[in-house]
Amino acid sequence: GRVAAPGSPKVNLLPQSAPDLVALLSAGSANTAHQALVEMEKASRAEGGRRSLVACADATPRLVALLASDRTEEARLACKTLASLATDPRGRLAINALPDAIPAVFSVLDSSDLEGQQSALMVIGNLVLDPPSRKRLAQTSGLLERLFASLASSDPKTLRFATGALRNLSVDPVGRLRVAADATAVERLRALSSHEDANTARYAAAVMKRVTSMGGEHR
């Protein structure tokens, strides 16, 4: 299922304001651009806001470009917005249509910003909800390795989002095979199946069930 951001306030972004906010990301002052990004992130938490942002052709490319920002908060806000957009099928289509989207998400996941890492894991977990992108991303170099590395985190949210992404990826046979091939990841997922966080335990157990159903392939 979707990896939802905590808290979904009833904030709506009027369709006609989406292009204006996106334009401010590059045309306004640094402070104005930051405020526009803050408003976009808030709006993306509500269905109406997500719909308006996805309908704006420039929104997703601009957000993906901001993932490479050297301003940590900007990259974090852009990633949080994309994580929310990716809960919508149209948002996933818009993100998946950009060839530089996944490398850009990787840059945030590889950063030292914990909240940004969590958002990047949410983006990945939601993007792999759709079968075509799930199969493609399961074979994307570096993606599963990053998810496996996140399993070693002591942060509860990181673990929840990483196991959630792996649960969605393991629906695909390619994803299951790649998880099963990493003995360290399998052992960690087995341990996380009894984690104190109910969602983490449920997600890890779901992955383990799929992996072990393959017989002895993971041994």
Side-chain angles (χ1 to χ4, degrees):
R2 293 182 303 171
V3 183
S8 297
K10 295 180 179 179
V11 179
N12 282 305
L13 179 67
L14 296 176
Q16 62 265 30
S17 70
D20 294 335
L21 285 174
V22 173
L24 287 173
L25 292 179
S26 53
S29 66
N31 184 59
T32 300
H34 176 76
Q35 289 305 313
L37 187 54
V38 168
E39 291 305 312
M40 289 172 68
E41 191 280 320
K42 288 180 181 177
S44 71
R45 302 182 209 172
E47 183 179 355
R50 287 192 294 273
R51 186 165 54 244
S52 298
L53 286 170
V54 171
C56 178
D58 293 334
T60 305
R62 287 292 299 133
L63 288 167
V64 168
L66 282 171
L67 296 181
S69 173
D70 56 4
R71 296 186 177 93
T72 299
E73 191 175 359
E74 278 192 4
R76 181 194 306 150
L77 283 168
C79 204
K80 288 176 71 173
T81 307
L82 288 167
S84 294
L85 295 186
T87 64
D88 185 293
R90 292 159 296 188
R92 293 195 289 275
L93 280 173
I95 297 169
N96 277 317
L98 300 172
D100 56 341
I102 295 302
V105 172
F106 283 173
S107 70
V108 178
L109 186 53
D110 294 342
S111 74
S112 59
D113 179 46
L114 180 59
E115 197 174 341
Q117 293 169 8
Q118 294 166 354
S119 296
L121 289 169
M122 288 173 62
V123 174
I124 294 169
N126 286 326
L127 288 181
V128 297
L129 285 170
D130 300 325
S133 56
R134 183 187 302 135
K135 184 175 291 293
R136 176 175 61 83
L137 292 173
Q139 300 176 73
T140 297
S141 176
L143 187 141
L144 274 161
E145 291 79 4
R146 284 174 169 84
L147 294 181
F148 294 158
S150 296
L151 296 178
S153 174
S154 59
D155 176 66
K157 288 185 178 180
T158 298
L159 290 175
R160 185 187 312 154
F161 298 142
T163 52
L166 286 167
R167 178 199 55 174
N168 293 344
L169 270 169
S170 66
V171 171
D172 186 82
V174 174
R176 283 198 296 278
L177 282 169
R178 293 203 59 197
V179 173
D182 192 301
T184 301
V186 170
E187 287 306 310
R188 181 60 176 152
L189 285 163
R190 181 176 289 113
L192 290 172
S193 296
S194 56
H195 194 269
E196 60 185 10
D197 180 81
N199 286 323
T200 296
R202 180 161 54 91
Y203 298 157
V207 181
M208 286 304 301
K209 183 177 180 181
R210 290 168 182 155
V211 168
T212 55
S213 70
M214 298 165 57
E217 291 181 53
H218 69 287
R219 295 188 178 92

